[in-house]
Amino acid sequence: MIHHCVRFTVKPGTTPEQLEEALAGLRHQGEAIPSVQSFLVGRDHGGAYEWGATFQIADLEGYWEYLVHPAHRHTDEIGLPLVDQFVSFDITDDPDPETGNRIAALHQRRFDSDPELTALVCGINQYEGSAAPGPHAA
């Protein structure tokens, strides 16, 4: 089982309507992507971030489906331009020590195949996560 988690803050000047559209996009991902078994989107408490989401996915095949699904890509298009600080991470009960590298490879494959997405992510002030592209690469 993989729990894909994101935490983020929005740029100053983001309107409540823009934020709600982005949050609705995240919720729609959870509803529309077949490999998502459960999800939660809401306020992030107890840290430096304002909002967060988690998506529970059974395996790496489902994770890839999640990454490339049109509902996810739509959320990227409307949400990433609003994001100031962003972190994504994964929690898994898979005992294979290579699972993290495999997840990072899926993200890298996605960024390599979608230059417009990579440009959106590169426009975020602060980004940490699997296979972070451009100026955010480790």
Side-chain angles (χ1 to χ4, degrees):
M1 189 63 55
I2 302 166
H3 286 260
H4 176 62
C5 310
V6 298
R7 303 174 78 192
F8 59 95
T9 61
V10 295
K11 293 176 181 172
T14 298
T15 68
E17 294 80 16
Q18 289 173 309
L19 176 60
E20 185 49 45
E21 181 183 16
L23 295 172
L26 285 167
R27 291 182 193 103
H28 179 68
Q29 284 178 209
E31 296 164 350
I33 302 173
S35 60
V36 174
Q37 297 181 348
S38 67
F39 69 97
L40 176 67
V41 176
R43 283 256 182 213
D44 186 324
H45 298 282
Y49 297 92
E50 301 167 307
W51 301 96
T54 64
F55 299 90
Q56 183 179 343
I57 303 164
D59 54 27
L60 291 171
E61 183 178 313
Y63 199 106
W64 179 247
E65 175 189 51
Y66 164 81
L67 286 176
V68 298
H69 195 280
H72 188 191
R73 188 62 174 83
H74 177 72
T75 302
D76 290 336
E77 290 172 13
I78 62 172
L80 290 177
L82 309 176
V83 172
D84 184 43
Q85 297 178 9
F86 184 87
V87 63
S88 71
F89 60 95
D90 300 285
I91 301 170
T92 181
D93 59 358
D94 186 332
D96 184 346
E98 287 301 309
T99 299
N101 291 333
R102 289 185 182 109
I103 290 171
L106 292 177
H107 282 275
Q108 187 64 57
R109 181 172 150 202
R110 181 175 183 234
F111 289 132
D112 289 348
S113 68
D114 189 341
E116 287 119 15
L117 171 66
T118 302
L120 286 171
V121 172
C122 288
I124 296 173
N125 181 39
Q126 179 183 333
Y127 176 96
E128 295 177 48
S130 295
H136 306 296

